[in-house]
Amino acid sequence: MRVLVIGSGGREHALCWAIAASPLLTKLYCAPGNAGIAREAECVAIGADDSDALLDFCKREKIDLVVVGPEAPLVAGLANRLRAEGIRTFGPDAAAAQLEGSKGFSKDICAKYNIPTAAYRRFTEAGAAKAYIREMGAPIVVKADGLAAGKGVTVAMTEEEAIAAVDAAMTDGAFGAAGAELVIEECMVGEELSFFALADGETALPLASAQDHKRVGDGDTGPNTGGMGAYSPAPVCTPELERRIIDEILTPTVEAMKAEGAPFKGVLFIGLMITEEGPKVIEYNVRFGDPECQVLMMRLQSDILPALIATADGTLKNFDLRWQPKAAMTVVLASDGYPGTYQKGTVIRNVDGAEADPDVTVFHAGTARNDAGDLIATGGRVLNVTAVGDTVGAARDSAYAAVDLIQWPEGFCRRDIGHRALD
């Protein structure tokens, strides 16, 4: 099969790494890719948002399957365009992608179909939003309705902080059009969990559990990020809890989207809060998590390509996947200053040395090569140092040993990834 993966981050590198191992594969492309992805696939200089060029490329190269990595092209309708031209595509169409594209839409789906989530209100006017905050008090959560690259959520511990978040989104335009509408909801208390499933519009196939670390600093402090590390499996996801998630959230969500005339086909990533009352939806995502995808691909024993095809073709029923019993952990190396402003173009050395351990793979999230051939940082999150081990603790030790071999003075990482599992 001739496969095109769309995207340029650590998630897409992990997907390319897994797909490249499939005996079904004859040629793998990635658009636009990065310096690490170039080891697994032929990188094509087409942006993930350039649907015209992507469509032309698929036709010219006779692509058999397109795997859309990031959410923005899905929300913009890329999967619709590809399927309309008869190109098999892994990823939901625009209507189903609204589960991530509009937090208001997803909250309304939960309310309509009795899927447990936090109490909420939607606002398009700053004054009304501020009045609601003063009425409800803090802590409270303020979310930009649209896509904001993981930065549109403020967990406000004071009313003043929440009101400042309203001003940033609605008055200052910090998130552009994504912040024109806000969702304000109760602050749930509990442990967070990332739950993934493949869905073909009818059938949902749960994947292994994972847990992400969103805050930039050790001890879960500082602003939210796209994710500073992850591990799998997550001890909090017991068999009993998994059954509740499937029965109370996953299956009802797939059935709800079908009932709404927008059957979901792709990977459904549900961010959950495990409260005293049970699991509740924090948010939906319509693509693999980043960096959770990295640990999932490291633990997956089955060939990923047939699973992606079955999802796209609507043949997931009776499909199964095998997972190795080992744990996996990924540690994100980010540019100093992330998630704020940061310098680009700094040189990174000895990534090969970090990968000398056979249990370690370094997935690239924001890298390129300069004219001298040096590996350079091009983004906020830059490398995902990923390891497997018999336990979460063993995976952690291998991952951090590899991190310490990478020479990049302008980078940093959290030093406590996996602390929830280890504690």
Side-chain angles (χ1 to χ4, degrees), residues 268-282:
L268 186 59
F269 163 18
I270 311 173
L272 297 166
M273 186 68 77
I274 310 307
T275 72
E276 290 184 353
E277 296 80 30
K280 295 185 179 183
V281 175
I282 300 172

Side-chain angles (χ1 to χ4, degrees), residues 238-251:
T238 63
E240 294 78 14
L241 179 62
E242 181 177 20
R243 175 46 53 193
R244 285 195 66 180
I245 293 168
I246 292 169
D247 291 345
E248 298 173 22
I249 295 173
L250 174 61
T251 299

Side-chain angles (χ1 to χ4, degrees), residues 243-323:
R243 175 46 53 193
R244 285 195 66 180
I245 293 168
I246 292 169
D247 291 345
E248 298 173 22
I249 295 173
L250 174 61
T251 299
T253 299
V254 173
E255 291 176 348
M257 295 306 291
K258 181 182 176 183
E260 292 291 311
F264 189 93
K265 296 183 178 182
V267 60
L268 186 59
F269 163 18
I270 311 173
L272 297 166
M273 186 68 77
I274 310 307
T275 72
E276 290 184 353
E277 296 80 30
K280 295 185 179 183
V281 175
I282 300 172
E283 64 181 8
Y284 291 102
N285 300 276
V286 300
R287 35 68 188 183
F288 279 102
D290 190 348
E292 294 99 329
C293 184
Q294 289 82 314
V295 292
L296 292 178
M297 292 304 104
M298 288 285 278
R299 290 191 61 220
L300 182 63
Q301 287 184 314
S302 299
D303 185 348
I304 187 65
L305 195 48
L308 301 177
I309 294 166
T311 303
D313 289 352
T315 57
L316 269 181
K317 190 174 183 180
N318 300 322
F319 203 92
D320 197 15
L321 292 172
R322 290 175 291 107
W323 302 90

Side-chain angles (χ1 to χ4, degrees), residues 106-284:
S106 65
K107 297 292 286 190
D108 289 349
I109 287 288
C110 288
K112 182 176 179 179
Y113 292 94
N114 297 313
I115 298 167
T117 190
Y120 74 102
R121 288 270 302 276
R122 300 175 68 172
F123 296 93
T124 56
E125 199 277 320
K130 293 176 184 179
Y132 181 71
I133 289 167
R134 294 189 182 97
E135 175 189 345
M136 300 304 295
I140 197 164
V141 181
V142 181
K143 297 180 176 181
D145 177 73
L147 297 179
K151 301 180 181 68
V153 177
T154 299
V155 181
M157 302 312 293
T158 66
E159 292 181 21
E160 291 74 19
E161 187 182 357
I163 288 169
V166 172
D167 285 334
M170 289 188 151
T171 304
D172 301 337
F175 311 113
E181 179 174 344
L182 296 178
V183 171
I184 301 179
E185 62 181 37
E186 68 171 317
C187 184
M188 295 186 289
V189 177
E191 188 167 353
E192 291 190 36
L193 174 68
S194 300
F195 195 85
F196 296 86
L198 301 180
D200 65 3
E202 295 272 354
T203 299
L205 174 64
L207 305 182
S209 64
Q211 201 157 31
D212 187 14
H213 295 65
K214 287 293 186 188
R215 299 279 189 164
V216 72
D218 286 5
D220 297 315
T221 58
N224 275 328
T225 70
M228 293 301 294
Y231 59 94
S232 174
V236 68
C237 192
T238 63
E240 294 78 14
L241 179 62
E242 181 177 20
R243 175 46 53 193
R244 285 195 66 180
I245 293 168
I246 292 169
D247 291 345
E248 298 173 22
I249 295 173
L250 174 61
T251 299
T253 299
V254 173
E255 291 176 348
M257 295 306 291
K258 181 182 176 183
E260 292 291 311
F264 189 93
K265 296 183 178 182
V267 60
L268 186 59
F269 163 18
I270 311 173
L272 297 166
M273 186 68 77
I274 310 307
T275 72
E276 290 184 353
E277 296 80 30
K280 295 185 179 183
V281 175
I282 300 172
E283 64 181 8
Y284 291 102

